[in-house]
Amino acid sequence: MELFSIRIRRTFQLVSTSTLKDLTVKFDNYDEDLHYVKEVTDNSVKVDGIIPGIYSVTVSGTAIDTENSEYYINGNSVNAALFHHGSALNIEVQGLKVSPLILKEIYYCGSRPEKGGVYFRDQFYEIYNNSADVLYLDGIYFANLTPGTATTKLPIWPEADGNNYAYGERVWKFPGNGTEYPLAPGESCIISQFAANHQLDIYNPQSPIDGSSSEFEFNMNNPNFPDQAAYDMQHVFYQGKAEMGSIPQYLTSVFGGAYAIFRVPEGETWDPVNDENMKTTDLSKPNSNVYYAKIPVKYVLDAVEAVDNESKMNAKRVPGVLDAGITWVGATYCGLGIARKLSTDEEGNPIIREETGTYIYQDTNNSTDDFERGVVPVMRRNGAKMPSWNHTLQ
């Protein structure tokens, strides 16, 4: 056994905090199934009894600023080599304001028809109002981040970007003038790749999903999968352009992608198509003309990183402040998904918001802790409500 001194560099680029609480550091060696947790009471913490090896080290907690707003504090170091007595590791942690909108359930791995082959048109993403206030989806963006599939060969981004951006492969936006698409507390909005009843004979009766009640879909103008009754998301960005590209489908990785919802603050402009400062190529590919949208971390409301399996912590592509962990299904075309856990009290009972009578979901910006994995997908699980403007209610 060795003694390791882990120094945590408290650099809050997003918020000036006055109080830190519940700060912990976790050590995870997935290859050898070794896991340690330690509370942090100062800028540094000493942890003994760790078996030497390669670890992913995650720091997380909460902070309250001078205006009494709450922030999640996260930071991590992936593939940290802890082999020598007295090893030291500096971890930069950042704060992100608690979001009222969350990604509640994601189904990405697809299903398998009885007669063979694979089916992936039934992917969906559920956004939930986790607050006590009416919110508006108008103008909120949805992006899948790059790399589309988790890989240890990560892109190289401009050094000047620091940890201030996530990088979007494709970006969409909710339409609306600002007040067209309200979401009340406890209501969910479903965005489907293709908003059809996938259990019909013409699609895949083995699919777990009837997506015909989805509020929105990613319509790619594919004549074989025609526009449904759902509203269309607005396409914003792909490979540096506003055009959708030549392939008429929006398929995120069936191995698990990284997803973000974000809002541009009032008074700011974000245009990754025309603003050269808001897009970049992967600098590890000097001759590449493939551009990615630079999404300021401060814009992000919620992000979830899904990967092949639990061993892929060393392939993280999302800044730790957005999602300090990972989640997974563990297989492809198995008809299973990931679902956010309900917040519970000390006795394990779900917490219900008193003023609205709605469930509160766990959101610590750590998908390893926040999600149930390998569950049969259910749209609007736990009785989440449809918004009044859903087309099936008209």
Side-chain angles (χ1 to χ4, degrees), residues 63-115:
I64 306 296
D65 70 7
T66 54
E67 297 179 354
N68 208 36
S69 295
E70 186 174 10
Y71 292 76
Y72 291 123
I73 301 298
N74 283 297
N76 58 24
S77 179
V78 177
N79 294 335
L82 301 180
F83 285 109
H84 305 292
H85 177 76
S87 294
L89 180 66
N90 288 320
I91 298 178
E92 179 179 308
V93 295
Q94 296 174 282
L96 196 68
K97 196 169 185 178
V98 174
S99 172
L101 285 176
I102 56 172
L103 289 159
K104 173 178 172 285
E105 184 146 352
I106 303 173
Y107 170 60
Y108 58 80
C109 75
S111 51
R112 199 174 291 276
E114 186 176 17
K115 295 182 180 180

Side-chain angles (χ1 to χ4, degrees), residues 26 28 30 56 58 76 103-109 124-125 147-151 253-260 302-319 322-332 336-341 362-375:
K26 294 174 61 179
D28 294 297
Y30 291 99
S56 291
T58 304
N76 58 24
L103 289 159
K104 173 178 172 285
E105 184 146 352
I106 303 173
Y107 170 60
Y108 58 80
C109 75
F124 76 84
Y125 315 84
T149 301
T151 172
S253 174
V254 295
F255 296 96
Y259 322 93
D302 193 27
V304 175
E305 181 163 12
V307 296
D308 306 43
N309 53 61
E310 64 179 347
S311 70
K312 286 296 184 77
M313 186 69 179
N314 63 351
K316 274 189 66 61
R317 69 275 216 201
V318 173
L322 299 181
D323 188 353
I326 53 173
T327 191
W328 59 90
V329 169
T332 56
L336 300 177
I338 57 174
R340 191 177 291 273
K341 299 174 183 176
Q362 180 175 313
D363 180 25
T364 65
N365 285 1
N366 188 323
S367 290
T368 306
D369 299 333
D370 291 343
F371 280 84
E372 298 179 46
R373 290 177 273 279
V375 298

Side-chain angles (χ1 to χ4, degrees), residues 140-172:
I140 287 179
Y141 293 83
F142 176 97
N144 67 286
L145 307 179
T146 194
T149 301
T151 172
T152 55
K153 189 177 180 181
L154 293 172
I156 297 175
W157 305 119
E159 185 175 355
D161 287 2
N163 294 320
N164 297 321
Y165 298 95
Y167 299 88
E169 186 175 81
R170 192 186 292 270
V171 183
W172 302 79

Side-chain angles (χ1 to χ4, degrees), residues 120-121 170 172 193 218-223 225 235 238-239 243-252:
F120 51 74
R121 295 286 179 178
R170 192 186 292 270
W172 302 79
Q193 182 194 138
F218 300 110
N219 179 22
M220 296 285 283
N221 301 317
N222 187 331
F225 297 91
H235 190 268
Y238 179 62
Q239 295 190 355
E243 290 75 26
M244 294 182 178
S246 59
I247 301 176
Q249 67 184 28
Y250 177 51
L251 170 67
T252 63

Side-chain angles (χ1 to χ4, degrees), residues 26-37 49-56:
K26 294 174 61 179
F27 301 80
D28 294 297
N29 181 330
Y30 291 99
D31 291 337
E32 301 179 61
D33 197 24
L34 301 173
H35 309 278
Y36 308 90
V37 180
I50 291 183
I51 296 175
I54 303 296
Y55 288 82
S56 291

Side-chain angles (χ1 to χ4, degrees), residues 24 36 58 77 88 138 141 148 220 257 264 266 276 279 296 299 312 324 328 354 370 384 386:
T24 61
Y36 308 90
T58 304
S77 179
D138 308 51
Y141 293 83
M220 296 285 283
V264 177
E266 189 174 350
E276 296 295 326
K279 60 184 174 183
Y299 289 1
K312 286 296 184 77
W328 59 90
E354 184 176 351
D370 291 343
M386 289 182 182

